[in-house]
Amino acid sequence: FVPIGFFGPEVVCGDATLLLPEATPYDFGVLTSSMHNAWMRVVCGRIKSDYRYSASIVYNNYPWPNVDDVQRAAITAAGQAVLDARTPLLASGETLATLYDQRAMPTSLASAHKKLDALVDKAYRKKGAFKTERDRVVFLFEQYAKLI
C-alpha cells in the first residue's frame, strides 16, 4: 500500500513527498484502494526496490472511477472507516509500515480495507470485485486507453 494520511498545516512536505492540499476521505479511499495500488505497482518507477510515486506519471494518469453521489458517499465513508481503524493503532505507537505488513495487518484494518475495495471495485464496474491484481491492471489500462 502507498502510505497515505492526513496531516495538519504544521507538517512540511519534503521533496520526495506528494501533497493533495484539498484531499477528502473520498480521495483517500480511492488512492488507498487495491485498485489504485495495483496501478501504482505497475506504473511507478523504483529506486532500489522502493516505489517512487510520481504525480506526473502515476497520479495524473490514473483513470479515476466515474461515480454518482451515492457511490461517492459510500467510498467516502469507507475511506473514513480505514482512517478510523488506523487511528487507535497509530496512537498506540504502531507505524504505517507495521500496520501494512501483509503478514501482520490488524484484523480491523484488513476488514476496513476489504469493504473499501469492494466499493471502489464496484465503482469501476457493476459486476464488482476483480479476482486478481492482473485483472485490475488490465481493466485500468483499458480505461486509460479510452481516456487518451
Side-chain angles (χ1 to χ4, degrees), residues 3 6 16 21-22 29 39 49 68 75 79-81 83 86 94 97 104-105 111 116-117 120 133 137 140 143 145-146:
F6 288 93
E22 304 295 324
W39 174 262
S49 62
D68 59 29
I75 292 170
Q80 186 61 54
L83 290 166
R86 288 183 354 183
E94 295 286 345
M105 183 184 280
S111 176
L116 173 64
D117 286 343
V120 173
E133 181 159 316
V137 171
L140 287 170
Q143 297 307 301
K146 290 176 186 176

Side-chain angles (χ1 to χ4, degrees), residues 70-81:
V70 172
Q71 290 171 309
R72 180 177 293 274
I75 292 170
T76 297
Q80 186 61 54

Side-chain angles (χ1 to χ4, degrees), residues 3-11 19-29 31-32 76 79-80 83 86 90 96:
I4 298 173
F6 288 93
F7 300 92
E10 71 283 356
V11 174
L19 171 71
L20 297 174
E22 304 295 324
T24 66
Y26 169 77
D27 302 314
F28 172 85
L31 292 174
T32 197
T76 297
Q80 186 61 54
L83 290 166
R86 288 183 354 183
L90 291 169
L96 289 176

Side-chain angles (χ1 to χ4, degrees), residues 110-123:
S111 176
H113 271 287
K114 186 174 181 177
K115 290 175 185 172
L116 173 64
D117 286 343
L119 290 167
V120 173
D121 283 359
K122 195 166 186 175

